[in-house]
């Protein structure tokens, strides 16, 4: 009997589990609310364990969590989970389920999903970037998922691209995710709106420039609004700047862009590729790395978590 492949993605609001069939398609999905409150660790572990049971996990279980995870499966910090710091998630889940438990950062899991079953199939060196509220990252190099010394590799969102830029929740200034994430897009749009441009976008936001969000810009851009398209272009330049820096560091074959903003791939892909081509170092000496949008959308973390037992090592 083949063993069940079950993966669970723990997010700030939802615990999402999937069971994969032998071909790597999602057979079943299950969602639970993420327990909140400072004493919620025990409840969170119970929730994950019950989702794993319901999905039929029989020998192993993969879990993706949003934060810095050590190679041993200890979640050191998770800003979006109440009261979770220095929690040995792997050990607690082993105790609760009796399964072999593999725990990793959610974006690292998403990288595994896209590499083995998604946009990056067949690549040996691939970088996954999730463009959501912040930016997550995962890295495959030399045909292996990379975790770094501590397990903290791939925190690309906190590369500083402007030392005097806006304050980041991490405590520093000008991190890439202040510009190139969903919140970055909203900030660029509010800046443009405060300069009394973007009248159509501000209208969509109910008339207040401070209420402008990314989706208002996207809606106006899809309707052909020139000023909104200019904000998208500015945003694309910030995304491409980070990708060109990562290219110098990692020399990848492909970038896969996932996260919430991947839903607007039709708007972003061309300007990102255009700026990336302009910003790339020594373009005449290398094939340009491919830039693709992710296959798995919001399931990427859970699908990749289900693959962790196979890609460990
Ligand atoms: Zn930061």
């Amino acid at each position: 009997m083949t063993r069940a492949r079950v993966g669970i993605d723990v997010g700030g609001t939802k615990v999402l589990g999937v069971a994969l069939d032998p071909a790597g398609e999602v057979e079943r999905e299950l969602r639970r609310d993420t327990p909140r409150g400072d004493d919620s660790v025990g409840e969170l572990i119970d929730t994950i364990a019950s989702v794993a049971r319901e999905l039929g996990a029989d020998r192993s279980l993969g879990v993706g969590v949003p934060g810095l995870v050590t190679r041993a499966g200890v979640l050191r910090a998770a800003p979006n989970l109440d009261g979770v710091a220095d929690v040995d998630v792997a050990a607690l889940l082993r105790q609760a389920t009796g399964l072999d438990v593999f725990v990793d950062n959610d974006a690292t899991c998403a990288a595994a999903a896209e590499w083995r079953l998604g946009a990056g199939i067949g690549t040996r060196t691939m970088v996954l970037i999730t463009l959501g509220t912040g930016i997550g990252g995962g890295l495959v190099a030399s045909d292996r998922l990379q975790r770094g010394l501590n397990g903290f590799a791939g925190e690309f969102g906190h590369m500083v691209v402007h030392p005097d830029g806006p304050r980041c929740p991490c405590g520093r200034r000008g991190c890439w995710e202040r510009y190139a994430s969903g919140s970055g897009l909203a900030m660029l749009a509010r800046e443009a709106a405060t300069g009394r441009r973007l009248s159509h976008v501000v209208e969509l936001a109910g008339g207040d420039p401070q209420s402008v969000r990314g989706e208002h810009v996207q809606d106006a851009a899809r309707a052909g609004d020139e000023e909104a398209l200019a904000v998208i272009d500015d945003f694309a330049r910030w995304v491409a700047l980070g990708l060109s820096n990562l290219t110098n560091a990692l020399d990848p074959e492909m970038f896969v862009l996932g996260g919430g903003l991947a839903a607007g791939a039709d708007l972003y892909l061309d300007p990102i590729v255009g700026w990336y081509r302009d910003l790339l170092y020594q373009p005449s000496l290398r094939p340009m790395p491919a830039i693709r949008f992710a296959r798995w959308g919001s399931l990427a973390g859970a699908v990749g978590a289900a693959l962790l037992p196979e890609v460990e090592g």
Side-chain angles (χ1 to χ4, degrees):
M1 198 182 116
T2 54
R3 69 183 197 202
R5 295 198 286 182
V6 172
I8 297 178
D9 183 23
V10 179
T13 56
K14 289 274 178 262
V15 173
L16 164 63
V18 299
L20 300 184
D21 72 12
E25 295 299 325
V26 172
E27 204 165 42
R28 284 184 65 201
E29 269 178 63
L30 206 57
R31 284 180 171 74
R32 295 269 186 280
D33 289 338
T34 303
R36 310 291 312 192
D38 286 344
D39 298 320
S40 57
V41 172
E43 218 184 314
L44 178 64
I45 297 295
D46 289 346
T47 303
I48 299 170
S50 87
V51 170
R53 257 191 308 274
E54 277 193 58
L55 289 171
D58 50 8
R59 262 179 60 191
S60 61
L61 170 68
V63 179
V65 289
L68 291 176
V69 189
T70 70
R71 283 172 165 269
V74 178
L75 183 53
R76 296 296 304 277
N80 296 322
L81 298 177
D82 290 343
V84 175
D86 279 325
V87 174
D88 193 337
V89 178
L92 291 171
L93 279 172
R94 256 177 230 126
Q95 225 164 39
T97 63
L99 300 168
D100 285 339
V101 178
F102 300 79
V103 180
D104 219 319
N105 170 268
D106 51 3
T108 300
C109 293
E114 294 298 333
W115 174 45
R116 299 293 289 268
L117 296 172
I121 286 180
T123 57
R124 300 192 71 230
T125 300
M126 183 204 96
V127 178
L128 172 109
I129 309 285
T130 59
L131 304 171
T133 312
I135 291 181
L139 173 63
V140 172
S142 306
D143 242 348
R144 291 179 65 156
L145 206 53
Q146 302 293 321
R147 297 177 171 84
L149 174 67
N150 300 291
F152 301 169
E155 293 293 332
F156 307 133
H158 299 283
M159 300 187 300
V160 173
V161 293
H162 187 344
D164 302 318
R167 184 76 71 184
C168 181
C170 77
R172 300 170 316 143
R173 285 187 179 277
C175 292
W176 187 34
E177 71 170 37
R178 288 303 89 214
Y179 300 91
S181 64
S183 354
L185 175 64
M187 179 199 75
L188 295 172
R190 282 194 300 270
E191 272 181 12
T194 309
R196 276 192 279 186
R197 294 185 284 130
L198 278 182
S199 51
H200 183 46
V201 173
V202 173
E203 213 174 284
L204 290 175
D208 177 6
Q210 293 314 309
S211 304
V212 168
R213 294 194 312 271
E215 48 271 38
H216 301 130
V217 183
Q218 292 181 16
D219 290 348
R222 285 219 171 79
D225 182 71
E226 291 291 333
E227 291 175 330
L229 286 165
V231 172
I232 298 267
D233 193 61
D234 193 19
F235 171 77
R237 187 174 66 108
W238 283 108
V239 174
L241 174 68
L243 299 186
S244 75
N245 287 340
L246 288 170
T247 305
N248 292 337
L250 304 168
D251 193 14
E253 186 177 342
M254 182 187 287
F255 287 102
V256 178
L257 307 181
L261 264 74
D266 57 314
L267 283 174
Y268 301 114
L269 187 58
D270 286 349
I272 290 172
V273 169
W275 279 112
Y276 179 65
R277 195 173 279 133
D278 284 355
L279 292 166
L280 192 58
Y281 171 66
Q282 297 288 24
S284 62
L285 301 182
R286 58 163 39 138
M288 197 178 106
I291 299 176
R292 302 249 191 287
F293 274 86
R295 170 190 172 191
W296 282 107
S298 59
L299 294 179
V303 169
L307 300 175
L308 285 180
E310 298 162 40
V311 298
E312 278 294 308

